[in-house]
Amino acid sequence: MRAIIIGAGIAGLAAALRLSQIGWDSLIIERAPTRRSGGYAVTFGGLGYDAAERMGILPDLLQRAFVTEEIVYHKPNGQRRFSLGREIIAATMGPRTMNILRGDIETVLYDTVRDSAEIRFATTITAVDQDTRAVHATLSDGTVEHADLLIGADGLHSATRALVFGPEEDYLLDLGHRVAVYMLDRRPASIAPGTAGTLSAGGRTVAVISAGDDRNVAFFGYRTERGARHDDRGDDRGDDPATVLPQVYGDLGWVIPEVLASMARTDSVYFDTISQVVAPPGAATAWSCSATPPGASPCSPATAPPWPSAAPTGSAPNWNATPATSAPPWPPGRRHYGPRWRRSRNSAAGSKASTPPPTRCCCG
Ligand SMILES: Cc1cc2nc3c(=O)[nH]c(=O)nc-3n(C[C@H](O)[C@H](O)[C@H](O)COP(=O)(O)OP(=O)(O)OC[C@H]3O[C@@H](n4cnc5c(N)ncnc54)[C@H](O)[C@@H]3O)c2cc1C
């Protein structure tokens, strides 16, 4: 049996590994010219931990895991507000959990699967068709590949999802935040080795984590107006974080000017909206889908600050925009799933009424 997997991220590589373990061949198609191994710290536990154990990659992941000795929370002026020590951090994480960089999860998967799957970089999918015998994927390198299964693991802006189900605005639920993450070429002096520092002010959060082996990562998360458009296109399309981040964070001190300046020296910046993909009912069973591995909580409290909770103030900057609380938080264009969700919200009891549905499927 043969699978074509679009996207060599965590979902795509994990799918290829599991398929190879049950005797399938996989062709992985990745748009980027090389691996994209960036990303912030993930608190990796729960179902994801169990799955990694069953897939045989847990020892390699644990080898790359790191311990955070202290998380220091700063005031907007940069002064220390309070901190959490190693024991409290460990207690919030619980057993069978680790802190690990997203890129290290990807590296472990890549190293494990590279000999059993073909990976074609700088290539994407341009058309998909199927008949009773196979699925046929036309690729940007001019080839047409045939397989028993096509898996769309090409992230939030999945081309596979668009080809099969329609434009992403029908499925993408903008949660009203943006995130930017990149590796730093040196540790800011005020971030002690093995610690993390974070600052939240006016709907904006910054965090820097020293993740061992002299690797340091910066995280920016801020509120936007829903529908603010951005594509994670490997830094070559969409908004330029080198322009946007200084506009959003330029008034803040602490390590922020130094961290912003180092963006010019990093290989790549992950910069995208925080969104949820809600696939049409039935799609999860009809098509293979990708999602953050169960139990993996990017930006979790132990390694990154919670989203800012301060009530937004001011009117001009859009990162202070008040998140809608009463209106249904899906974009007007998402017509397939919205009405169904609306009905279930209205009939749900108590606090569940305002809880978005779980991500049913995240084709990319
Ligand atoms: C470099 C990077 C850094 C990230 N950092 C963070 C972070 O710090 N915090 C966080 O919460 N989330 C981050 N994310 C998102 C997070 O990894 C995913 O939301 C989650 O892990 C689900 O993984 P995924 O494999 O489905 O998607 P992704 O991790 O987004 O991987 C999708 C892969 O598909 C490739 N791809 C995209 N479009 C196409 C196409 N048309 N054809 C072929 N390939 C395509 C992408 O280049 C990428 O390699 C990051 C993603 C990337 C790519």
Side-chain angles (χ1 to χ4, degrees):
M1 301 287 271
R2 184 176 195 241
I4 301 170
I5 299 172
I6 312 298
I10 292 173
L13 293 169
L17 174 57
R18 190 66 195 104
L19 286 171
S20 81
Q21 290 171 341
I22 57 169
W24 284 55
D25 293 324
S26 292
L27 168 65
I28 305 175
I29 300 300
E30 169 58 47
R31 184 183 58 192
T34 55
R35 283 185 47 228
R36 302 182 64 196
S37 50
Y40 199 66
V42 173
T43 296
F44 191 85
L47 292 174
Y49 196 100
D50 297 344
E53 190 168 40
R54 286 200 306 275
M55 291 167 75
I57 58 170
L58 191 57
D60 290 337
L61 291 175
L62 285 168
Q63 237 178 18
R64 290 168 182 268
F66 62 89
V67 171
T68 299
E69 299 291 342
E70 186 181 35
I71 302 177
V72 183
Y73 292 77
H74 293 264
K75 297 177 184 172
N77 65 9
Q79 283 177 356
R80 189 181 175 105
R81 193 194 294 269
F82 69 96
S83 71
L84 302 179
R86 179 179 177 148
E87 290 75 24
I88 295 178
I89 296 169
T92 63
M93 290 171 58
R96 286 173 65 82
T97 308
M98 70 180 99
N99 280 333
I100 185 167
L101 293 182
R102 174 205 172 273
D104 280 349
I105 301 174
E106 203 195 278
T107 298
V108 166
L109 286 165
Y110 176 79
D111 288 346
T112 312
V113 85
R114 61 193 297 183
D115 293 332
S116 55
E118 178 188 347
I119 305 183
R120 206 178 293 174
F121 288 97
T123 311
T124 186
I125 187 170
T126 57
V128 55
D129 193 12
Q130 70 175 343
D131 55 33
T132 51
R133 289 175 303 109
V135 58
H136 315 285
T138 306
L139 305 178
S140 57
D141 60 6
T143 59
V144 180
E145 295 287 344
H146 314 281
D148 302 284
L149 177 68
L150 172 69
I151 298 182
D154 43 349
L156 206 53
H157 308 290
S158 169
T160 316
R161 182 184 61 237
L163 287 169
V164 174
F165 297 119
E168 75 175 37
E169 48 271 28
D170 286 355
Y171 303 105
L172 214 56
L173 174 60
D174 181 356
L175 298 178
H177 288 83
R178 276 191 190 185
V179 61
V181 175
Y182 52 90
M183 305 295 291
L184 303 176
D185 60 345
R186 57 178 166 262
R187 179 175 49 79
S190 64
I191 305 290
T195 72
T198 179
L199 182 155
S200 291
R204 299 162 289 172
T205 287
V206 180
V208 175
I209 191 161
S210 158
D213 298 331
D214 208 21
R215 296 187 303 169
N216 304 284
V217 196
F219 167 94
F220 293 81
Y222 60 96
R223 287 186 190 143
T224 59
E225 287 173 12
R226 290 212 169 89
R229 176 95 184 126
H230 176 70
D231 285 351
D232 167 39
R233 303 279 173 170
D235 302 346
D236 58 356
R237 287 171 52 177
D239 292 341
D240 179 8
T243 306
V244 175
L245 293 184
Q247 286 169 358
V248 177
Y249 290 91
D251 62 315
L252 296 174
W254 184 49
V255 298
I256 294 168
E258 178 184 349
V259 168
L260 287 174
S262 78
M263 195 188 340
R265 303 187 296 272
T266 196
D267 288 342
S268 74
V269 181
Y270 177 75
F271 185 47
D272 211 329
T273 59
I274 298 195
S275 303
Q276 181 183 29
V277 178
V278 186
T285 52
W287 295 85
S288 291
C289 301
S290 73
T292 302
S297 323
C299 323
S300 66
T303 50
W307 294 113
S309 56
T313 54
S315 56
N318 67 1
W319 57 84
N320 281 341
T322 307
T325 49
S326 53
W330 54 76
R334 195 164 63 71
R335 50 185 183 273
H336 297 300
Y337 197 77
R340 182 174 294 242
W341 180 9
R342 235 172 255 132
R343 276 201 302 278
S344 68
R345 284 182 84 213
N346 292 342
S347 61
S351 61
K352 282 187 179 163
S354 61
T355 306
T359 303
R360 295 167 59 93
C361 167
C362 175
C363 286

